[in-house]
Each structure stands twice: as structure tokens, then as C-alpha cells.
Amino acid sequence: MLSKPVLLALAVGAALTAVPALAEVTDLTGGVPKAARIIDALAPPEPAVRAKGIGAPKDLQVEERRIRLDIPFANNSAELTGSARQTLAELAAALTSPRLAGARIVIEGHANRTGTADHNRWLTGERAAAVSRILYGGGVTAGRLSATGFGFDRPIPGTKPTDGRNRRVEIVAVP
């Protein structure tokens, strides 16, 4: 029989290997990306060969895919700007395409480290929800969408926590 410390170590190790690392982010900032570019960034790659027969895997494992977009808001607000609406129109067109039809979409709001943690978590949640509402209005099924705000808890790797680039929205396609 294994001792409690050994069992605990095995359980922790199993839990750590079961938690996937965040997927690499495709940065589409710097303008309004076209729907085709968004589709290419979010859609899983087409398998080169489909396995058939007894014992073949039913599905290929596909990791989540994420993009970072320029979705500006009014200062300290969840009010979208005109350029944000253009970007979200392209995003809605992409998300309603056949290549992304089966994906669940997570909208993540992020902030830089200014203000309080509670306020930033609330504000980023409101911003993610605003994006979700626009996408729903653009034809994306509500059941595919979820929105969450992380405040300033997840800065872009390699940036200072106060860097303005941390004020962002990331879109995650989950198979």
C-alpha cells in the first residue's frame, strides 16, 4: 500500500498533467482583420489523412486556438468604439463560417495593473459581455458564447503589468 505522501504526490502530478497550458495567441492587432484571416487563426487545421477502420481514433485531439484583437473601449467603460464595431463585424462573420460552426467561443477581457483588482475584474467582465452581445447580434448562437473578465491577473508574457497592451480582449475557440 502506498503512503499518504506518495498518493498525494501522484494525485498532484496527475492533476498538473491534466491541465493544458494556455494556447499560443495569434496577435491580430494593428487594424481590422478580415474574416478570412480570423478563420485561419481560429479554425483547427484540416487533417491530411482521415483514419478509418477498426481501432482508428474517432476524433483528432485539437487544442484551443486564441487570437488577440484590437477592440477599443471608451475609457473606464464597456462602451465600444466605432473601430471596435468594425472588428467585431469581421469576427462575427468568421464565427458564423462553416469552418468555425462547431467551436465554442470564449471571450476573455483583460486589463493592465491600474486601479483596484475588483474594479478591473468587473470592468473586464463587462467588456467581454459587451463583445458577446455584439457577436450574438451578428448571428453567433448564444449557446456557443461565454464571456469572462480576468482583470489584471493575466498580463501578456514579457510585458510590464502596467503596460497598456494588457488592456485587451482575447477570443478563444474551443473544439
Side-chain angles (χ1 to χ4, degrees):
M1 176 133 199
L2 298 173
S3 68
K4 286 183 182 179
V6 171
L7 287 173
L8 180 61
L10 288 172
V12 169
L16 289 176
T17 58
V19 176
L22 290 178
E24 186 174 320
V25 178
T26 300
D27 191 336
L28 299 180
T29 59
V32 177
K34 296 293 182 194
R37 177 68 182 106
I38 296 169
I39 293 167
D40 288 341
L42 287 177
E46 294 290 330
V49 176
R50 295 200 182 264
K52 293 184 180 181
I54 297 174
K58 291 182 180 179
D59 295 313
L60 298 173
Q61 291 290 334
V62 179
E63 294 181 11
E64 69 180 27
R65 299 174 63 93
R66 51 178 62 232
I67 59 173
R68 184 176 305 128
L69 297 169
D70 277 332
I71 303 177
F73 294 87
N75 188 42
N76 202 30
S77 167
E79 183 181 332
L80 292 156
T81 65
S83 64
R85 291 181 184 280
Q86 291 174 335
T87 297
L88 293 176
E90 292 291 332
L91 179 59
L95 297 179
T96 56
S97 74
R99 283 185 61 200
L100 292 172
R104 290 178 296 121
I105 306 301
V106 179
I107 301 130
E108 296 181 351
H110 300 272
N112 66 342
R113 191 177 289 273
T114 57
T116 67
D118 287 342
H119 177 72
N120 276 297
R121 212 168 285 113
W122 170 82
L123 181 59
T124 57
E126 290 295 307
R127 288 176 171 180
V131 168
S132 180
R133 286 189 295 275
I134 295 293
L135 294 176
Y136 175 71
V140 182
T141 308
R144 293 178 56 206
L145 299 170
S146 64
T148 190
F150 289 103
F152 51 65
D153 294 337
R154 293 185 178 180
I156 297 170
T159 64
K160 293 181 179 181
T162 55
D163 190 320
R165 291 176 290 174
N166 287 312
R167 292 189 304 265
R168 69 195 190 281
V169 173
E170 291 185 5
I171 307 299
V172 184
V174 182

